[in-house]
Amino acid sequence: QTATPKQFSLRCLGMVYPATSHSGMTLADTQISPLDKFHKLIIELEKKRKTRIFSIVQCGESESDDRLCGDTFRHVFERRSEMANVPVLELLLDSPGGDANVAYTLMRYFRRHCQRLNVIVPMFAKSAATLMTLGADLIYMGEFADLGPIDVQMKDPLKRGSKTISPLDEFKSAEFLRDYAVELLDSFTMLILGRSGMSIKEAIHESIPLTTGIMRPLYERIDPLEIGEHKRSLAIGEEYAIRLLALTKNPRQREIVKALVSKYPSHSFVIDADEARDLGLPVRRLEHAQEQMFLEALNGIRENEESVYGFSKEPTKKSATPRKRKASGVKRPPASEPAPAAIAATK
């Protein structure tokens, strides 16, 4: 009988992953390890989708295993002997993002080894992982899957320690200051006009010193060199995005990139399947049954915080344990003494 699905929370960016049960799983399948179960389900999905599926699933405890970075590149590089040219290659992607350089390099690599490249996002692919999806011919997303703004993360050990910062946050702060200055100028001008007989020109003239008096201390805290550095960081993601979209001949390249780089207010902003499709991305919904299988495959390894890279292989079957013989009446010699047959052979 099919097991009743249970709900449980998994630690991953505060998200709740619904537990699922694939109707084809047997009692024996529930007794295998989560990693073997993952590979078994992915192999079954390959047969259903008639494709090869390469997994990049990141949920480890270490920094090198929970984001796209140099170690991610190493994992893929070590498996390059498994990569053969195929008609349709699909990339199972579940990652919070990371290094834009690694994301771009990997997508260029995957596209060289297939005629068509699809990306499958059952739950989330944020930041640099979103950048990877832009190089796909089709993006298959689950019902609760989401992408995010292309926002290169930076580190500033001197000011922020080990905490990463978002250039997008800095630019949104600058935009707020600009809008706030205009609102102050309008407010002071309207206040002066309402309480005096001044002309609009005279009211604006009196409002400017009041506005600058408030805004100057705020703008003096901004470092122009830091703003320039953040602008260059965002430009890296922007240029990579344009190049990846060009590989798929997407007609809305500039429009998509502009939205992903500057439209959204925060690094973690949710871009679901409908939003991504409205932007102009080639999004398709995962079939419900297949989505359930992908989620079931992810649940076990997320619970154990296991990251997965590469193609899935059938788990190696363990050799059967030899059955113990029943004790007979013949007394066996101690292990330190030679057997009777061996003694006869020496005579």
Side-chain angles (χ1 to χ4, degrees):
Q1 295 181 349
T2 304
T4 303
K6 297 180 180 178
Q7 300 294 321
F8 59 88
S9 301
L10 291 172
R11 290 182 298 158
C12 185
L13 299 181
M15 301 184 69
V16 177
Y17 278 58
T20 58
S21 179
H22 171 48
S23 58
M25 299 299 286
T26 64
L27 179 61
D29 291 326
T30 62
Q31 297 174 346
I32 65 177
S33 71
L35 186 59
D36 285 344
K37 182 179 178 181
F38 173 89
H39 290 307
K40 182 179 179 66
L41 284 168
I42 296 303
I43 290 171
E44 188 174 342
L45 282 160
E46 285 184 325
K47 295 174 182 176
K48 291 178 179 293
R49 298 177 66 84
K50 297 181 174 60
T51 62
R52 293 300 312 280
I53 298 177
F54 191 100
S55 300
I56 296 182
V57 179
Q58 299 185 302
C59 53
E61 292 183 338
S62 65
E63 183 178 350
S64 63
D65 246 359
D66 68 354
R67 58 189 293 271
L68 295 168
C69 59
D71 281 340
T72 310
F73 176 83
R74 178 178 57 80
H75 285 303
V76 176
F77 181 79
E78 290 174 347
R79 291 161 175 80
R80 67 191 187 283
S81 60
E82 304 171 12
M83 183 68 69
N85 292 329
V86 294
V88 181
L89 175 65
E90 295 194 307
L91 177 62
L92 172 59
L93 189 57
D94 199 71
S95 169
D99 191 325
N101 300 304
V102 171
Y104 177 74
T105 301
L106 291 181
M107 285 307 285
R108 295 279 294 185
Y109 165 73
F110 289 129
R111 289 209 66 94
R112 286 195 296 270
H113 290 275
C114 63
Q115 297 174 21
R116 288 183 62 81
L117 176 63
N118 300 333
V119 170
I120 302 170
V121 184
M123 284 306 298
F124 72 100
K126 309 292 281 187
S127 190
T130 296
L131 177 63
M132 293 183 71
T133 68
L134 302 186
D137 294 297
L138 291 175
I139 306 169
Y140 288 93
M141 297 180 67
E143 185 176 5
F144 292 98
D146 67 274
L147 309 178
I150 299 175
D151 184 13
V152 178
Q153 297 293 280
M154 301 173 60
K155 286 189 176 182
D156 187 350
L158 184 62
K159 297 181 180 179
R160 309 283 183 113
S162 59
K163 182 181 178 181
T164 57
I165 60 175
S166 166
L168 185 61
D169 291 341
E170 302 288 335
F171 276 94
K172 290 301 178 183
S173 298
E175 288 179 7
F176 166 76
L177 290 178
R178 179 197 62 196
D179 296 340
Y180 183 51
V182 174
E183 289 176 8
L184 279 178
L185 182 62
D186 288 344
S187 297
F188 283 133
T189 300
M190 296 303 296
L191 183 63
I192 292 172
L193 284 174
R195 296 189 178 186
S196 70
M198 292 184 182
S199 66
I200 295 178
K201 182 177 180 180
E202 290 173 326
I204 293 176
H205 179 75
E206 295 297 327
S207 299
I208 290 175
L210 297 173
T211 302
T212 55
I214 294 176
M215 297 304 301
R216 180 180 289 113
L218 298 177
Y219 274 106
E220 285 176 348
R221 297 178 64 86
I222 296 177
D223 184 351
L225 294 178
E226 190 172 291
I227 290 291
E229 182 182 359
H230 292 170
K231 176 63 178 176
R232 287 192 300 274
S233 297
L234 287 176
I236 292 172
E238 184 176 353
E239 184 61 30
Y240 283 153
I242 291 172
R243 295 184 180 210
L244 288 175
L245 286 168
L247 295 176
T248 65
K249 297 180 173 57
N250 192 307
R252 297 172 62 180
Q253 297 171 27
R254 297 286 175 179
E255 181 184 343
I256 293 170
V257 173
K258 182 178 179 181
L260 289 175
V261 171
S262 59
K263 176 182 177 180
Y264 300 102
S266 71
H267 174 71
S268 58
F269 196 92
V270 172
I271 301 175
D272 61 16
D274 294 331
E275 176 87 6
R277 190 183 295 111
D278 290 341
L279 289 178
L281 293 174
V283 173
R284 301 288 187 275
R285 288 282 193 182
L286 275 171
E287 293 181 9
H288 179 71
Q290 293 187 13
E291 179 187 359
Q292 294 295 95
M293 291 175 68
F294 278 117
L295 290 176
E296 187 174 358
L298 292 173
N299 276 338
I301 57 174
R302 283 214 168 279
E303 198 172 29
N304 290 344
E305 296 183 333
E306 295 181 84
S307 294
V308 181
Y309 303 93
F311 293 111
S312 291
K313 297 179 181 179
E314 290 283 0
T316 304
K317 294 183 179 180
K318 296 181 180 180
S319 58
T321 305
R323 297 175 63 184
K324 293 182 179 180
R325 297 180 180 178
K326 293 182 179 180
S328 61
V330 180
K331 185 178 180 181
R332 294 180 178 273
S336 58
E337 298 179 6
I343 295 173
T346 59
K347 289 183 179 181

